[in-house]
Amino acid sequence: MIRTVDSPSHVSAPVLAAYSYCETVTGQQARNFAYGIRLLPTPKRRAMSALYAFSRRVDDIGDGDLADQVKLKRLEETRALLARVREGEVEDDDTDPVAVALAHAARAFPIPLGGLDELIDGVQMDVRGETYETWDDLKAYCRCVAGAIGRLSLGVFGTEPGARGAERASEYADTLGLALQLTNILRDVREDAAGGRTYLPADDLAKFGCSAGFDGPTPPEGSDFAGLVHFEVRRARALFAEGYRLLPMLDRRSGACVAAMAGIYRRLLDRIERDPEAVLRGRVSLPGREKAYVAVRGLSGLDTRHVTRHVSPRSVRRRA
C-alpha cells in the first residue's frame, strides 16, 4: 500500500505563491491535465501542478530552439536543481517558484523524485535524435517521459488501505502513462515529423509502407496509413485496459482525476481511429464540453465501477 503524508495545515506565503505560479502554468499549458487535477483536493492539486510545472520546464528545453549542446547543458542544470530538491536544500524563499513548490510537495507526499530524472533522460534522448526500431525500444522511451509521470502521480494519489493488488499499483500507473504517450505520438505524428522527429517504431512503419515519413497532409504514396494507425490504436487500447486496473486502488477523487485524464485521451484515440488521416491534416482535440463530460463521468465513478466488475480477484492473482 502506498500512503500519502498529510500536508501541514499551514503553508507559508512564499510556498502558496510558488504553487499559484505552478497552477497558472498548468492551466495555460496543459488543458487536458488541468481538467483532471481540478477534481483533486487542494493539497494534491497543488502537488500535481508542481510536478507538471517542473516537467514542462524539462520539455520546453527539449522542444526549444537552442543548439543541442546548450539543451543538454540546460537539462543537466535542471537535474542539479532536482538534486537540490531531493536533498532538502531548497528553502521557501528560494527565487525559483517551481523548485519551491516541488520541494514542498515532496515533503508532503512520498513522491519518487527519481521519476523526474527519468524524464530528463527521455528528453535527452529527444535532443540526441534517437529513433526506435521496435516497440520495445519505443516503450523504454515512453517509460521515461510518461510512465515515470504516472509513477510520480501515484506518489501524490496514494492507494486506498486494503486495496486488492495494490502492490502492482506502480506498474499500472506506469502502463497508463505509456497509453497516454502512445496516444500523444499518434496525435502529433505530423507535428513531430515537421520537427524532424519520428517516434513510431521503424518496424511498424516498414510493415505498413510508411517508412518515407509524414511530411504532408496525405499519407506516403502506396502506404497503408490507416492500417498503421489502427495497429497502434489497438496497442494503445490494450495499454489503457491494463493501466485502468489502477482505478479501484485509488480514493474517489484521485480515481476521478485519473479517469478524467485517461478518458480524454481515450476519446482522442476514438477520433483518430475513426479518421486516421486527420492527424496529418492538423491537431486532433476534444471540445471543452466533451472534456467536461469526461470529468463528470470520472467523478461519478463509472469507470472505476466498470473496471471493478471486469477484474476478478482470480485475474489479479494470475497476472501477479
Side-chain angles (χ1 to χ4, degrees), residues 125 131-145 178 181-182 185 198-201 204 232 235:
M125 294 165 72
T131 55
Y132 308 98
E133 291 297 317
T134 67
W135 165 239
D136 283 343
D137 296 334
L138 178 59
K139 187 163 57 175
Y141 166 79
C142 291
R143 288 197 189 285
C144 285
V145 300
L178 264 63
Q181 185 63 20
L182 183 53
I185 287 171
T198 300
Y199 290 102
L200 291 175
D204 295 350
E232 303 297 350
R235 175 176 278 157

Side-chain angles (χ1 to χ4, degrees), residues 142-154:
C142 291
R143 288 197 189 285
C144 285
V145 300
I149 301 301
R151 286 177 266 121
L152 287 159
S153 300
L154 183 62

Side-chain angles (χ1 to χ4, degrees), residues 105-129:
R107 293 193 297 270
F109 299 97
I111 299 172
L113 291 176
L116 291 172
D117 279 302
E118 292 180 57
L119 173 63
I120 294 171
D121 292 341
V123 174
Q124 286 177 330
M125 294 165 72
D126 281 337
V127 173
R128 295 184 179 115

Side-chain angles (χ1 to χ4, degrees), residues 19-37:
Y19 276 133
S20 179
Y21 173 84
C22 293
E23 290 190 284
T24 298
V25 170
T26 303
Q28 291 177 346
Q29 304 293 332
R31 302 292 177 84
N32 292 343
F33 187 82
Y35 262 95
I37 67 172

Side-chain angles (χ1 to χ4, degrees), residues 247-250 252 255-256 259 298 301-309:
L247 292 182
M249 302 174 189
L250 306 178
R252 178 173 175 266
L302 285 173
D303 293 310
T304 300
R305 290 195 293 273
H306 175 79
V307 173
T308 302
R309 285 196 301 269

Side-chain angles (χ1 to χ4, degrees), residues 16 43 82 116 152 165 169 180 185 209 224-225 233 279 293 314:
L16 286 175
L82 178 60
L116 291 172
L152 287 159
L180 269 61
I185 287 171
D224 181 10
F225 181 72
V233 165
V279 299
Y293 168 77
R314 183 178 179 183

